[in-house]
Amino acid sequence: MGNFNIFPLWATPIYVSSLECQEEVKTFLKELLYERISEDNGWWSKEKKVLNVPQFSELKDKILQHVNTYTNQCIEIDTSNIEFYFTNSWVMKHKMGDWSQEHIHVNSIFSGIYYFEVDDVSGMLGLKKHLSMLNLFTPTIDFDVKNSNLYNCKVWTIKPIKDMLIIFPSHVRHHVTHSHSENLRYSLAFNIFVRGNISKEISELNLK
C-alpha cells in the first residue's frame, strides 16, 4: 500500500505539560481547610478561588502561561481583544478508595488539573467521548476495533505523574478511577472563562 495521510479534523485538543512548583507552595496547598464532598468519594478545599489567594500568585501566573500557550499556539485563538481568566480553582484530596464520578464543568470554557502530589496507583484520569460527538460514527452502529487509538477511541486514559498539568475544553466528560495508594493524592483543579470583545460583525459579543 502506498503512502497516505490522515487529517484529524474536528479534534478535541487536550493539552499535557509539566509545571514546576516550589515545595513550600505545595505544602501551603495541602494545609488548606478541606471538607468531604457530598458524594463521599473525596475532599475538596473550602476555598474555591485558590489561585486568587496572594500566596499562590506565582503558581497562578505559571498556569496562565500554559493557558496562553494552549489558546495562542495550539488553538491559535486571536486574543488581541480578549483575555482568558480563572473563575474558580480548588484543591482535591483523595485517600485510598476515593475516586471521582464522570462529570463536566459548566459555566466554563476551558478547565484544567495540576497534579502536585500523586503516585503510580493513586488513580487514572479518564476522558470520555460523549454520544453527541459525531466526528467519526453515529451511535447507529458500534464497530469493534482491533486497537483503540486517537481516531476511534471512546475513552482516553491518562496516568497522572507529579507536576503534570492538563488543560481541556470544559465540556469534555471526565472521571478519576479509584486510588489504590496509601498516600494522599492532591490535585489543583481550575476553570477558565473569557472577557473582552469578540467581534463578529452582526454577532459581536462583549464580555466583561
Side-chain angles (χ1 to χ4, degrees):
M1 180 63 67
N3 294 331
F4 65 89
N5 293 313
I6 293 290
F7 298 96
L9 296 177
W10 306 292
T12 302
I14 309 297
Y15 178 91
V16 181
S17 187
S18 61
L19 187 154
E20 293 185 1
C21 179
Q22 296 178 355
E23 290 301 319
E24 181 182 19
V25 174
K26 294 179 181 180
T27 299
F28 288 149
L29 290 170
K30 294 176 185 177
E31 292 177 347
L32 292 170
L33 296 177
Y34 290 85
E35 58 187 355
R36 196 74 175 167
I37 61 177
S38 58
E39 291 82 3
D40 195 27
N41 56 357
W43 286 275
W44 61 358
S45 60
K46 290 187 176 182
E47 175 61 66
K48 300 303 189 294
K49 295 183 183 294
V50 168
L51 292 175
N52 286 351
V53 176
Q55 67 194 100
F56 303 126
S57 60
E58 183 177 347
L59 176 59
K60 178 180 180 179
D61 290 342
K62 287 183 176 181
I63 295 176
L64 192 57
Q65 289 176 11
H66 284 273
V67 172
N68 290 334
T69 298
Y70 175 60
T71 56
N72 290 327
Q73 298 183 28
C74 174
I75 310 175
E76 296 197 59
I77 296 173
D78 182 358
T79 58
S80 56
N81 295 313
I82 62 173
E83 175 189 22
F84 290 102
Y85 68 98
F86 298 104
T87 54
N88 307 98
S89 49
W90 62 99
V91 177
M92 293 297 302
K93 178 171 71 171
H94 281 180
K95 63 177 176 59
M96 180 182 289
D98 282 345
W99 57 286
S100 178
Q101 65 277 6
E102 185 181 306
H103 64 284
I104 62 172
H105 292 203
V106 298
N107 297 328
S108 177
I109 298 176
F110 301 117
S111 297
I113 311 168
Y114 171 52
Y115 298 94
F116 61 92
E117 191 65 55
V118 296
D119 60 31
D120 287 343
V121 293
S122 59
M124 306 279 281
L125 173 67
L127 305 168
K128 186 175 182 180
K129 177 185 175 184
H130 194 272
L131 288 175
S132 64
M133 296 179 64
L134 306 180
N135 59 307
L136 183 57
F137 302 119
T138 71
T140 306
I141 187 167
D142 188 13
F143 288 105
D144 292 328
V145 296
K146 294 179 291 185
N147 296 292
S148 180
N149 60 35
L150 287 173
Y151 306 110
N152 63 31
C153 68
K154 298 174 183 176
V155 178
W156 191 261
T157 302
I158 297 176
K159 182 178 181 179
I161 60 175
K162 190 173 181 179
D163 291 330
M164 176 182 283
L165 174 69
I166 300 178
I167 304 172
F168 51 89
S170 299
H171 66 267
V172 173
R173 306 190 71 83
H174 55 285
H175 64 275
V176 179
T177 62
H178 288 78
S179 173
H180 299 289
S181 176
E182 296 181 354
N183 301 314
L184 291 173
R185 161 196 167 120
Y186 289 90
S187 60
L188 170 69
F190 54 87
N191 290 329
I192 298 163
F193 209 73
V194 65
R195 56 188 165 215
N197 186 267
I198 302 173
S199 180
K200 294 293 183 182
E201 297 182 350
I202 62 171
S203 57
E204 180 179 356
L205 179 64
N206 193 355
L207 298 170
K208 298 180 179 180

